Structures are given as C-alpha cells and as structure tokens.
Amino acid sequence: MGGTALNILFVMYDQLRFDYLSCAGHPHLHTPNFDRVAAMGVRFTNAYVQSPICGASRMSTYTGRYASSHGAQWNGFPLRIGEMTMGDHLRKLGMECWLIGKTHMKADKEGMSRLGLSPDSVIGARQEECGFDVWVRDDGLWGQGPDGFYDEKRSPYNEYLKSKGYESPNPWADFANAGISDNQIASGWMFDNADKAANIREEDSETPWLTSQAIAFMEQAKGTWCAHVSYIKPHWPYIVPAPYHNMFGKNHVPQAKRHALEREGAHPVYAAYMEGKISEAFQQDPVREKVIPAYMGLIKQCDDQLGRLLDYLEESGQLKDTMIVLTSDHGDYLGDHWLGEKDLFHEQSVKVPLIIHDPRDEAQGTRGTTCDALVEAIDLLPTFVQAAGGNVPDHILEGRSLEPFLHGKATQTREFVISEFDYSPTPQCVKLELEPRDARLFMVFDGRYKLMHAEGGFRPMLFDLVSDPDEFVDLAKDNEHSAEIDRLYGYLAQWGRRLAQRVTKSEDDIKAMRGRSRRKGILPFLKDGTEVPAELTEAYRGPALQNHLDERKEAGE
Amino acid sequence: MGGTALNILFVMYDQLRFDYLSCAGHPHLHTPNFDRVAAMGVRFTNAYVQSPICGASRMSTYTGRYASSHGAQWNGFPLRIGEMTMGDHLRKLGMECWLIGKTHMKADKEGMSRLGLSPDSVIGARQEECGFDVWVRDDGLWGQGPDGFYDEKRSPYNEYLKSKGYESPNPWADFANAGISDNQIASGWMFDNADKAANIREEDSETPWLTSQAIAFMEQAKGTWCAHVSYIKPHWPYIVPAPYHNMFGKNHVPQAKRHALEREGAHPVYAAYMEGKISEAFQQDPVREKVIPAYMGLIKQCDDQLGRLLDYLEESGQLKDTMIVLTSDHGDYLGDHWLGEKDLFHEQSVKVPLIIHDPRDEAQGTRGTTCDALVEAIDLLPTFVQAAGGNVPDHILEGRSLEPFLHGKATQTREFVISEFDYSPTPQCVKLELEPRDARLFMVFDGRYKLMHAEGGFRPMLFDLVSDPDEFVDLAKDNEHSAEIDRLYGYLAQWGRRLAQRVTKSEDDIKAMRGRSRRKGILPFLKDGTEVPAELTEAYRGPALQNHLDERKEAGE
C-alpha cells in the first residue's frame, strides 16, 4: 500500500455521448461542471468501451477485462462466480469500494448455489453486487409489464418517491418518467412525449436523488474509499422535469449524421439494425426534434448535479484528496447512421467521455489538457489500483493504468482498441437466422482504420476515420482494401491469443517458481547423478535407506 | 436423465505414447489387454491432448475446455475457483464421479479463501480435488529434496508401503523407484539405473496397488458412477520391478526418429528444448537403450493390470454396463526429434492412445474398428455427459461428444485440433529471455499440416505429415508455404474468437430470453404507443395513476 490517502469518486453516466459536453465541443449544450473537471484534469478524446451495451460494458469496467474474458456479454448474463471485481482488487489494498446507483450486475445464482454461497453472507452479498458494498443499488429501469417488473429487486428510488407522497405502485413510471397531458399520463416511453415535463418535483427526480445519496455517503465515509456513483441518466426514457424539459428546442438539434450511401449494399448486421423499431423511429426528424432536446436537458441536469458533488468536495476540503473520474458506459446514436440506441461500433456508440482529475502533485503538468491516445474503459481499474498504492495484477486485469498519461509520463500507447457486441438475444439475431453463438461482433480500431468483424460468415466492415471521419463509407464493400483488413484481422488474431485466464499465477509468481521442483527432488534429467550439485544428491541417494544399507554393510551382513 | 445405468471406467495413463501398444502397431510390445478393449470398442488413431504436459492436459480433460479457457496452463497453476469439472457435470445427472489416483490438480486456495470455502466442507473438498470425490488421491511423484517434498500432501502409496514393511521415510523413492546395486541404492531418477529391478515386490508397486484400489472401489460402488482410475505410470522415474525389468532389451529399442536436418536453422524454441538436459541425455544411445526397455516394461505391467480390471468387470457381470476409456495425458519423445520428455507438438508428444468400449447396443457396429477422425481430449467429457443421459452444455464444454463415432453415426468431423504449451516456468523461457506471458506455444493441426505458433516474435513451424510423416522438415524455414501457413493461422484466429467464457447462459437460455424484456415493460421504441399490442399498453399507461386521474376527471376535479 502506498502512503497516499487518495479517495476515488468514480462517476458513471449511462448512454452519455462523448460529444454532448461543451468541453468536447458541443455547440449548444453548456456543461460548466464537466468542463470544470476537465480544467482540473485530463480529458481523454479517444476512450472506448469494451462493449456498446450497458451490462457487458460495465462488467468490463468493473473487472478490468474484455467481454470475452469475463463472459457476461449481454444485459442479464450473470457474471460468473469467482470473476474478480473492482471491489476485490481495491479492498485488498485497504480501499473500500462502494456502490451508489446502477451496475446492471446479474448474480450467478447457479454458481453461488454450486459453491454454497449464501446471499446473506458478506462474501455472498458482494458476489451478488459485483464486488461492491452497497450504499444504494438502483439500476434505474423499473419497467413493468404483463410479466411483472423488469428488475426483480425492490427499487429504493421508488420507495423514496412513495415516502415523498408520489402515490402509485410504480412512481418511477408514473411520475419520474412520465408527464401529464390532457389529464392523461404521457409516458416517457413514447418519444412523442419527450417534450413534456416529467410529473415530478425536480429535486425528487433520479439524478438529484442519487446525488444526495452520494453526498450522504461521503459525509459519513471513513478511511480511503472508492465510491462508484452510477447514474441511470441520460439513458431513456427520454423525459426530464422542469426546468430542463424546455431548455433546448428544435433549433439545438443538429442534422442527423447519416448518408444515403450507408444504405447501399449495407452490411447485413448493420442493415438489420437500421430496420429495427428504434432505428425507424429515430429516422424520423420529429422524433429527433423531441428526443434530443430532452436528452440535452437530462445532461444539463447531470451537469448541475455534478456541480453539487464538486461543491461538496470543495467545501468539505476533500477535493485535494479525491480523484474524480467521469465517464459513461456507451453512447447513443440519436438517429446518426440511421440508428437509434447504441449496440454497433460507430463513434457515437462506442466512444465515451472520459475525464479524470488526479489531485496528486505528479499530475500538476497535465491539468486542463486533453489526451488523444487510444484508451479503453478497462484501463480504469488498473488506474485505481495504482491510485490505491498497489501493483497492477496484470495476469488478471487486461487494461493498462492511465497513470502515465495523468502524470505526463506515458511512453507507450496501445496499437489498437477492442470492443465486442453479443446480440444473441435480439430480434436482429432472429432476423439473420443465426444461432446465439454466431451473433457476435468484434471491433478493432487502430486510431485510423476501424474494422468490424461479424461471426456467422459475414464480410467485415471497414472505415477510414482520416478520410471519412463521419464513417459513411464502408470500405469493405469493395475488395480494394485487403491490406488494411488483413492488418486489422492480424490485431484481432493477436488479441484472440491473449493471456486472459491464467489468473491464478502472476508473472512474478511464475518467475519465482523456476527451478523449485528440482530442489524438491524432481530430477528427471539424471544420467548418472553427476549433473546436479551435491546439495541435491540426497534427493536420489535415499538417505534413510542408504544409512540402513551402510549399517548392514558395516555389520558384515 | 437417460434410462441407462451405464458406468464409466475412465482409465488414464501418464506419458503413454500412442504407438507403444500392439494394437497401434508396436513391433515388440505385446499389450493383449489394451488390444482386448480395442477389439470391443473403437480405437481413435488421431486423438490429441490440449497441452502436452500433465497438469494443463488433465485440467482440459477434466473441464472439457482448452488450456487458454480454464487457465491452469502449467503444472501447479491452480485451477481457478468456479471452473466447472467432470464431477460438477456428471453429478448433476445423477452419476457419481470418483478419483482413484492422479489428477495433478492444484487448488485455487486464494480463490477459495476469497469465497470463504473451507477445504473441510464437501463443496470445498471437491473444489480442491478438481470436482472429484476422492477414493484415493496419489499424484505419484513423491520426490524430496532440500526444500522438502514436491507434493505437499501425504502419500497414501507411501503409507501403504510402510504398512507392508518397506522401512524408509520415503519408500516411494527408496523402494518403488530405486533398485539396489553393489549394496547401494540405485535411484530410478538416474537413467543409468533404468535396467535395474525396482527394489519392491511386484504386487506392491504402484500400478498393481492402484489397480487394487480401483477394484476395491468397484466392489462397493452403488448407483451409477464414473471412476477415474489414473495411473502415474509409465511416467518417469523409469524403473520397474521384476519380472518386467528385463523383459525387453537393446534389441527392442528402435532407432531414434531424428534427422540432422532438424538441427539446421531450428526454430529457437525447438532449439532451446533440444539443448535441455533431458534432451541431451536422450540424444545418447546408451540412455535410450536402458530407458526404453524399462518404459516398455512399465507399459507391459500396465497392460497386465488392465487385465485384472477387465477380468474383474467380466467376472462381476459389469462389463455389459461399463464404458471403458483408455487414454493418456501426453506422450514421451524418448529421444525422437533429439528430445526427451514431452512439451512440444510432434506426434510422439501430443498424440495419445484413445480406446473406448461402449457397451450399448448402438455401438455394436463399430466394435473392433478404428476411427481416424481428428479428436481432442476435451471430447471425453461431453461423451460422458451423453453416456450419463444428459445434454451437452456446449456453452461451457468446448469439446464434442464422441458418441456419434462410437455409434457409427458421425456426419461431421472437426477441421482442426488445437494444443497449447505454456513454458513460462522453464529454463527454456529463461534462455530465450522471454517474459512469462510470451512463453506460449499453440499448435493447429488439420490432419495434414501442423503449424506451431510461438508468442514472443518468433517465426512459426510447419510440417506436412503427408509428404513428411516423421516431421523432420520444418517447412516454415523457407518462405514458400505462406498459403498453408496463412490458412492455419486463419484457423487459429477463428479459435481465438471462440465463445469460451459465456458460461452462465446456454444457447437455449438465450433463445428463451428473447422478447422477454418488453413483456416486463421495457419499451424504448415507442413513438406514440401504437407500436405494441394492447396487452403491453398497460406497461406505459401507468394503470394505477391513470385510474386515479380518471376518477378525478369523473369527479369533475
């Protein structure tokens, strides 16, 4: 353990696009608090998530491992028992690791039962909660239908709303995520209602509620801690309370970044996504004109609440001891590329904001700078391990600490980033008539060329982000870029052979093992015994019996 | 569960070469009992282990997964907690799974402690023993040196010897694996002593002892069971008791299969292995002339003891209900290719004997036949799962059931087999100045061409087993075979992207998930609500609150 007493405020937003912040150049959305952290720290301009979907992306961030390594490749796929998480790594170093908000973790109940782990035990509870100790867990999607609630747990947020007098069995749906129109509930699920004000006092809406929880946590926290403050917003349902609901309008909605070329000879997987219901909605300008202002309002609210967190840290004197990390689990197409939601690998989906304020003196020289190196979400956990004073267990963690970038000492950058998408449970998989195991996509991006490989016998997709920064021209439609395609496939093959599961022996453990077995009598290389030093000869001389034989000989037997 | 009451006698030998059996064409070594099983079943002529070293190979066999998937890639690398084993899979189907002999399993003590598993509990004990219930565990290498015993456990075999009057602190070393010469212990560790008779009554030596244990197990067994009878022999130390010690002589020792060409421009990893102490010993004909007759004697003893097992099954009427599987964890170079031991991917090392007697009627048509299809050691566990009446959990098991071959119904064969070797703890890794993570080799073999890929920046090796069945000519020395090399690298890349860790959701689970979230109120695709059937509209209509609003309206409020 190091001598620092650094805490980590690890803030994650959900579905926050990299370019919807003023520090990232948004023309209309002013986010002074994000910008304030950027001014105190480093803003990474090329940060990529390991899967453009909540669950898989988060499990990568929380384990420091690629989706194919931890296996929880889609929402609701349980994280296998025994997979080590942020909490396991940090707690070992004396840093507590708390959850305030969303993880999208699904426990491996079958594995827990196989190993006899009770959810009531501390160990079992942490296994169920992705290694975190829980201040409050709220995944923020309290949808309900004929088959019951999407989330089987009790919603602390719903309980809060009930305590505040919002009368409904599900105030999340009826108040926080719905407006009122003509004396009818105007559900936030409907894009047509995105311009309504949510039927809730602003201070009771989700983002302020969670912010208050985070402040309450920090007020009582002792020792060193990492607090994962994990907001559901600006994730759908796209609806926000006043005054945020009408801060932005049509005039702030950019043209959709899409091109007719994209629909010609489109890759079958991309084509299937363009034909999805969500995409079809976002292909209509009236939808974008209602949704995007609401999305911007949600972000503006996040920014204001971030201000509360920063003010709290400042006023309580903790800013100088607290690393602040702001990021997201993936982006949102918002109609770009003819798509809604996330899922594929265009920048809008797979690139995320990443801003880190490191309060240590070593970071003095990088404050207010940007870093263009290719980085991955799995780099956060190694960064945190170093901040907690530990050595990065690189036989388990597949990311690389960002500390060298934060301290202006980086000498190496990675050649490529990887992201994966498993769409086996989706209508697109059904439409393409694929078996679940074949519904898997891989992205390899080297900073210029971006390749998408699709299992199931499809051709790849390829973009050149230098000549085509908007990713309109899929170069793999013709056969003229085989050199780049082969090169990127080479990276993917190299990655496929990575050391991902040798998690029970570190590099140092292995070095220390060398030569040990011969000192424990394993000598399968002796012709006549002259091959080893005297100290090892007892191993095969059989000292006890030899003494016996020698005695017999002396006795003349 | 199926209606069968099949038991499985799963016999594994250690370091038994595929070609040292008379049914496999050995000119001097007569193995009538192996041949008897071959005559009752199918002999697989192209069976490959997933790693040519004990621990990694066995962990693959016991988990049904590649070494890179389970991560226990060298001897003594613990099998990570939670990794499912043969016992987990078979016990679920009502089949007990017992160990009699060796596994080379090292428990993941750190993982067990992290999850609070006590070795004293049934669950903990099985985790420590690779999922088996233990009739007797004896890994068979009770070497001892200045740092103590290689194996930290108590040796049941040593205890047995002591009870029989073999007086020594380590009778395994002093009696079972040593002879006497000139009133001196002649240790079996020394190749010069391989022609001596081990200083033990034959019936007390390791192979008969373990056979008696197996028979004792079967005598009391109830219900359906899989018994893993796992011999240490013919593994070194190369020494065998009378009468086996002089059954074979110089005249039975074949010329070493080696060629001067192999040493010219040899691949650096291969070169490092040729320069190892064991290899240098086996490059000397006097060593081969002493060791190989002892090795043959050990096999002959194994064959006789197999006869005891078969006779017991026959006499007790169990032969008709017992699947018998005979195999090995890897081979032995014995001086071929200028090498001793195993480790690399020539046929002598990576190919193993595999003979399966399936007593079921469906196997009637294949009895006494051979099967040339490419099969892998990881295919055994799926075969056992089917024999136990289960469906193969192919989201966890990476092998394919051999039942179609046994029942003469195979329509598909695999295109290539994979084997891996992690040599990070070895002197060769040190000599080549590699970091542990780069000391990894991969074999891809398509039945004709065999590629070895080495991490660490080396060129590959390539053999054409049709034009060069002895594997003397490394075609990758020149640049003329890039088409074959590229093709095999393509297989390796495909394998690298395999679905190995999505172990918490089966293909069927995933299919069943589809469409479920919308019936739980997750509807992020609604423009105006007309997109979904009436039964789902309640999900966003907010029934409770809407009723309230309706009531208010009726009341004229």
Side-chain angles (χ1 to χ4, degrees):
Chain A
M1 283 213 327
T4 62
L6 211 56
N7 295 326
I8 301 172
L9 181 67
F10 171 31
V11 183
M12 185 174 278
Y13 300 93
D14 199 312
Q15 201 138 334
L16 175 60
R17 263 173 74 139
F18 74 96
D19 54 352
Y20 270 62
L21 298 174
S22 43
C23 55
H26 197 284
H28 305 300
L29 183 57
H30 185 48
T31 51
N33 293 297
F34 281 93
D35 299 4
R36 185 171 154 200
V37 181
M40 296 191 293
V42 177
R43 186 169 66 82
F44 291 86
T45 61
N46 285 300
Y48 291 86
V49 286
Q50 275 46 79
S51 184
I53 182 170
C54 302
S57 172
R58 286 158 182 272
M59 294 310 114
S60 283
T61 303
Y62 303 151
T63 61
R65 291 157 58 75
Y66 293 102
S68 278
S69 300
H70 61 66
Q73 293 170 235
W74 212 71
N75 292 335
F77 287 15
L79 185 68
R80 59 180 290 181
I81 192 79
E83 192 67 22
M84 285 182 77
T85 57
M86 192 167 277
D88 292 316
H89 293 287
L90 297 183
R91 219 171 275 123
K92 237 192 221 177
L93 299 166
M95 179 179 273
E96 293 192 37
C97 193
W98 286 85
L99 171 67
I100 300 144
K102 167 171 176 166
T103 61
H104 224 124
M105 162 73 177
K106 177 120 178 181
D108 176 9
K109 295 267 183 198
E110 196 180 312
M112 287 181 65
S113 147
R114 195 169 71 245
L115 296 184
L117 292 185
S118 156
D120 299 334
S121 65
V122 172
I123 289 171
R126 286 176 177 160
Q127 281 291 319
E128 286 214 322
E129 294 293 357
C130 209
F132 291 107
D133 284 322
V134 176
W135 181 259
V136 63
R137 159 114 186 233
D138 196 297
D139 272 9
L141 286 180
W142 302 101
Q144 190 184 13
D147 291 351
F149 274 95
Y150 173 67
D151 199 315
E152 294 152 8
K153 296 180 294 297
R154 176 182 150 278
S155 162
Y157 178 62
N158 258 342
E159 299 306 313
Y160 166 79
L161 290 183
K162 288 175 192 171
S163 79
K164 288 283 175 176
Y166 296 92
E167 277 179 43
S168 156
N170 187 0
W172 176 88
D174 290 343
F175 292 95
N177 288 283
I180 298 281
S181 175
D182 296 334
N183 212 36
Q184 296 279 325
I185 289 184
S187 168
W189 285 120
M190 287 188 237
F191 301 142
D192 274 358
N193 296 330
D195 58 346
K196 311 280 186 295
N199 182 24
I200 193 167
R201 290 182 294 274
E202 193 270 331
E203 66 265 29
D204 291 334
S205 62
E206 288 156 286
T207 301
W209 170 73
L210 200 74
T211 304
S212 300
Q213 290 282 349
I215 291 171
F217 166 79
M218 292 189 286
E219 276 175 342
Q220 59 76 56
K222 306 262 187 301
T224 32
W225 46 262
C226 169
H228 180 42
V229 179
S230 185
Y231 293 100
I232 180 64
K233 294 300 175 185
H235 192 284
W236 42 255
Y238 301 107
I239 191 162
V240 63
Y244 298 100
H245 75 295
N246 62 6
M247 278 188 184
F248 306 96
K250 261 194 215 186
N251 51 322
H252 301 116
V253 175
Q255 283 287 316
K257 282 199 179 176
R258 63 192 187 199
H259 197 291
L261 259 181
E262 297 184 286
R263 314 202 79 159
E264 291 170 20
H267 190 284
V269 178
Y270 178 33
Y273 270 86
M274 283 193 282
E275 290 159 11
K277 277 192 192 340
I278 298 170
S279 295
E280 284 179 352
F282 274 96
Q283 285 162 20
Q284 301 169 45
D285 284 339
V287 168
R288 297 183 72 247
E289 287 164 4
K290 286 207 172 186
V291 168
I292 292 176
Y295 181 74
M296 292 168 72
L298 287 165
I299 296 169
K300 185 69 186 170
Q301 190 186 24
C302 288
D303 187 75
D304 286 340
Q305 294 299 318
L306 174 59
R308 278 181 70 203
L309 288 177
L310 297 177
D311 291 347
Y312 170 78
L313 287 173
E314 199 155 48
E315 287 157 18
S316 62
Q318 297 183 62
L319 203 51
K320 63 180 193 317
D321 305 320
T322 307
M323 175 179 275
I324 302 170
V325 179
L326 309 176
T327 193
S328 177
D329 58 350
H330 53 75
D332 191 325
Y333 276 108
L334 296 173
D336 292 345
H337 303 288
W338 311 93
L339 296 169
E341 275 273 72
K342 48 265 180 180
D343 305 336
L344 299 182
F345 302 118
H346 299 92
E347 298 282 273
Q348 290 86 351
S349 172
V350 74
K351 185 193 270 201
V352 289
L354 177 61
I355 305 171
I356 303 182
H357 160 62
D358 182 342
R360 290 172 289 187
D361 287 345
E362 294 89 336
Q364 215 53 44
T366 62
R367 303 200 189 288
T369 65
T370 56
C371 172
D372 299 333
L374 290 174
V375 304
E376 296 183 331
I378 58 175
D379 297 344
L380 290 175
L381 182 46
T383 309
F384 297 176
V385 165
Q386 284 204 309
N391 294 316
V392 177
D394 63 2
H395 60 303
I396 304 174
L397 302 188
E398 298 186 281
R400 306 179 191 178
S401 172
L402 300 173
E403 193 175 281
F405 295 114
L406 299 173
H407 294 181
K409 290 185 177 163
T411 53
Q412 282 195 313
T413 54
R414 58 161 60 73
E415 287 180 296
F416 57 90
V417 289
I418 294 282
S419 192
E420 301 175 74
F421 183 54
D422 179 336
Y423 60 108
S424 52
T426 71
Q428 285 77 16
C429 176
V430 177
K431 183 168 200 168
L432 294 165
E433 298 180 353
L434 295 173
E435 287 301 307
R437 62 175 53 245
D438 290 328
R440 294 182 297 133
L441 308 176
F442 297 82
M443 177 196 87
V444 192
F445 177 49
D446 71 358
R448 173 170 181 179
Y449 289 97
K450 188 188 281 183
L451 177 93
M452 179 187 88
H453 165 72
E455 293 292 308
F458 301 108
R459 68 165 174 86
M461 290 176 86
L462 181 72
F463 296 100
D464 174 357
L465 275 80
V466 168
S467 67
D468 173 33
D470 287 330
E471 303 176 279
F472 290 150
V473 185
D474 176 0
L475 297 170
K477 285 179 187 171
D478 61 46
N479 290 316
E480 285 166 29
H481 294 82
S482 60
E484 295 307 335
I485 290 173
D486 288 353
R487 190 171 59 79
L488 293 166
Y489 265 113
Y491 286 145
L492 185 59
Q494 174 187 330
W495 175 82
R497 299 188 308 263
R498 76 197 177 282
L499 190 60
Q501 306 300 333
R502 197 172 76 184
V503 294
T504 57
K505 282 281 175 191
S506 71
E507 299 282 289
D508 287 344
D509 288 342
I510 291 170
K511 287 177 182 171
M513 278 177 79
R514 293 173 179 161
R516 278 200 191 161
S517 65
R518 61 162 62 189
R519 289 188 53 86
K520 292 184 168 180
I522 300 298
L523 306 163
F525 49 83
L526 301 182
K527 190 177 170 304
D528 55 22
T530 57
E531 296 87 344
V532 294
E535 56 159 359
L536 295 181
T537 57
E538 291 211 345
Y540 60 84
R541 269 192 74 244
L545 183 63
Q546 191 62 50
N547 290 343
H548 179 66
L549 292 174
D550 293 347
E551 281 164 24
R552 283 207 312 192
K553 199 175 180 182
E554 278 169 32
E557 288 176 42
Chain B
M1 282 204 340
T4 62
L6 210 56
N7 295 326
I8 301 172
L9 181 66
F10 171 31
V11 183
M12 184 174 278
Y13 299 94
D14 199 313
Q15 200 139 332
L16 174 61
R17 262 172 75 138
F18 75 97
D19 55 352
Y20 269 61
L21 299 174
S22 43
C23 55
H26 197 283
H28 305 300
L29 182 58
H30 185 47
T31 51
N33 292 298
F34 280 94
D35 299 5
R36 188 170 151 199
V37 181
M40 296 192 293
V42 176
R43 186 168 66 82
F44 292 87
T45 62
N46 285 300
Y48 291 85
V49 287
Q50 276 46 78
S51 184
I53 181 169
C54 301
S57 171
R58 287 159 182 272
M59 294 310 114
S60 283
T61 303
Y62 303 150
T63 60
R65 291 158 58 75
Y66 293 102
S68 278
S69 301
H70 61 66
Q73 291 169 233
W74 211 71
N75 293 335
F77 287 14
L79 184 68
R80 59 180 288 182
I81 193 78
E83 192 66 22
M84 285 181 77
T85 56
M86 193 166 277
D88 292 315
H89 292 288
L90 297 183
R91 219 170 276 123
K92 236 192 221 180
L93 299 165
M95 180 180 272
E96 294 192 36
C97 193
W98 286 85
L99 171 67
I100 301 144
K102 166 170 176 165
T103 60
H104 223 124
M105 162 74 178
K106 177 119 176 180
D108 176 9
K109 296 267 184 199
E110 195 180 312
M112 287 181 65
S113 147
R114 195 169 69 244
L115 296 184
L117 292 185
S118 157
D120 299 333
S121 65
V122 171
I123 290 172
R126 285 176 178 160
Q127 282 291 320
E128 287 214 321
E129 295 293 356
C130 207
F132 291 107
D133 284 322
V134 176
W135 181 260
V136 63
R137 159 112 186 235
D138 195 297
D139 272 9
L141 286 179
W142 302 103
Q144 190 184 13
D147 290 350
F149 274 95
Y150 173 65
D151 199 316
E152 293 152 10
K153 295 179 294 298
R154 175 182 151 278
S155 163
Y157 178 60
N158 258 343
E159 299 305 313
Y160 167 80
L161 290 183
K162 288 176 193 170
S163 79
K164 288 283 176 178
Y166 295 92
E167 278 179 43
S168 156
N170 187 0
W172 175 89
D174 291 343
F175 293 96
N177 288 284
I180 296 282
S181 175
D182 296 332
N183 212 37
Q184 296 279 325
I185 289 184
S187 168
W189 285 120
M190 288 188 236
F191 300 143
D192 274 357
N193 295 329
D195 59 345
K196 312 279 186 297
N199 180 25
I200 194 167
R201 288 184 293 276
E202 193 271 330
E203 66 266 29
D204 290 333
S205 63
E206 287 156 287
T207 302
W209 170 74
L210 199 74
T211 305
S212 299
Q213 290 281 349
I215 292 171
F217 166 79
M218 291 190 285
E219 276 174 342
Q220 59 77 54
K222 307 261 187 303
T224 34
W225 47 262
C226 170
H228 180 41
V229 179
S230 185
Y231 293 100
I232 180 64
K233 295 298 177 185
H235 192 284
W236 42 255
Y238 301 108
I239 191 162
V240 63
Y244 299 99
H245 75 296
N246 63 3
M247 277 186 185
F248 306 96
K250 260 195 212 183
N251 52 323
H252 301 116
V253 175
Q255 283 287 316
K257 282 200 180 176
R258 62 191 189 201
H259 198 290
L261 259 182
E262 296 183 288
R263 314 203 79 159
E264 291 171 19
H267 189 284
V269 178
Y270 178 32
Y273 270 86
M274 284 194 282
E275 290 159 13
K277 277 194 191 338
I278 298 170
S279 295
E280 283 178 353
F282 275 96
Q283 285 162 20
Q284 302 169 43
D285 284 340
V287 168
R288 297 183 71 248
E289 287 165 5
K290 286 207 172 186
V291 167
I292 292 177
Y295 181 73
M296 292 168 73
L298 287 165
I299 297 169
K300 184 69 185 170
Q301 189 186 26
C302 287
D303 185 75
D304 286 340
Q305 294 298 317
L306 175 58
R308 279 181 69 202
L309 288 177
L310 297 176
D311 290 348
Y312 170 77
L313 286 173
E314 199 156 49
E315 286 158 19
S316 61
Q318 296 184 60
L319 202 51
K320 63 181 193 318
D321 305 321
T322 307
M323 175 179 274
I324 302 169
V325 179
L326 308 176
T327 193
S328 177
D329 58 349
H330 53 74
D332 191 326
Y333 276 109
L334 297 173
D336 291 346
H337 302 288
W338 312 94
L339 297 169
E341 274 274 72
K342 48 266 178 179
D343 305 337
L344 299 182
F345 301 119
H346 298 92
E347 298 282 272
Q348 289 86 352
S349 171
V350 73
K351 186 193 270 201
V352 289
L354 177 61
I355 306 171
I356 303 182
H357 160 62
D358 182 341
R360 290 172 289 187
D361 288 345
E362 293 89 337
Q364 214 55 44
T366 62
R367 302 200 189 288
T369 64
T370 56
C371 172
D372 299 333
L374 290 174
V375 303
E376 296 183 331
I378 57 174
D379 297 343
L380 290 175
L381 182 47
T383 309
F384 296 177
V385 165
Q386 285 205 307
N391 294 317
V392 177
D394 63 2
H395 60 303
I396 305 173
L397 303 187
E398 298 187 280
R400 305 178 191 180
S401 172
L402 300 173
E403 193 174 282
F405 295 113
L406 299 172
H407 294 181
K409 289 185 178 163
T411 54
Q412 282 197 314
T413 55
R414 59 161 60 74
E415 286 180 296
F416 57 90
V417 289
I418 295 283
S419 192
E420 301 175 73
F421 183 56
D422 179 335
Y423 60 108
S424 53
T426 70
Q428 286 77 15
C429 176
V430 177
K431 183 168 198 166
L432 294 165
E433 298 180 354
L434 296 173
E435 286 302 306
R437 61 175 54 248
D438 290 329
R440 294 182 298 132
L441 308 176
F442 297 82
M443 176 196 85
V444 192
F445 178 48
D446 71 358
R448 175 170 180 177
Y449 288 97
K450 188 188 280 184
L451 177 93
M452 179 187 88
H453 165 72
E455 292 292 309
F458 301 107
R459 68 164 175 87
M461 291 177 85
L462 181 73
F463 297 99
D464 174 357
L465 276 79
V466 167
S467 68
D468 172 34
D470 287 329
E471 303 175 279
F472 290 150
V473 185
D474 176 0
L475 297 171
K477 284 180 188 170
D478 62 44
N479 289 316
E480 285 165 31
H481 292 81
S482 61
E484 295 307 336
I485 288 173
D486 289 351
R487 192 171 57 81
L488 293 166
Y489 264 113
Y491 285 146
L492 185 59
Q494 174 188 330
W495 175 82
R497 299 186 309 262
R498 76 197 177 281
L499 190 60
Q501 305 301 333
R502 197 173 76 185
V503 294
T504 58
K505 282 283 176 188
S506 71
E507 299 281 289
D508 287 345
D509 288 341
I510 291 171
K511 288 177 181 171
M513 279 177 78
R514 292 172 180 161
R516 276 198 191 162
S517 65
R518 62 161 64 188
R519 289 188 53 86
K520 292 185 167 178
I522 300 298
L523 305 164
F525 49 82
L526 301 181
K527 189 176 172 302
D528 56 21
T530 58
E531 297 87 345
V532 294
E535 55 158 0
L536 295 181
T537 56
E538 290 210 345
Y540 60 83
R541 269 192 74 244
L545 183 63
Q546 191 61 51
N547 289 344
H548 178 67
L549 293 173
D550 292 348
E551 281 163 24
R552 284 206 313 192
K553 198 175 181 181
E554 276 168 35
E557 288 174 40

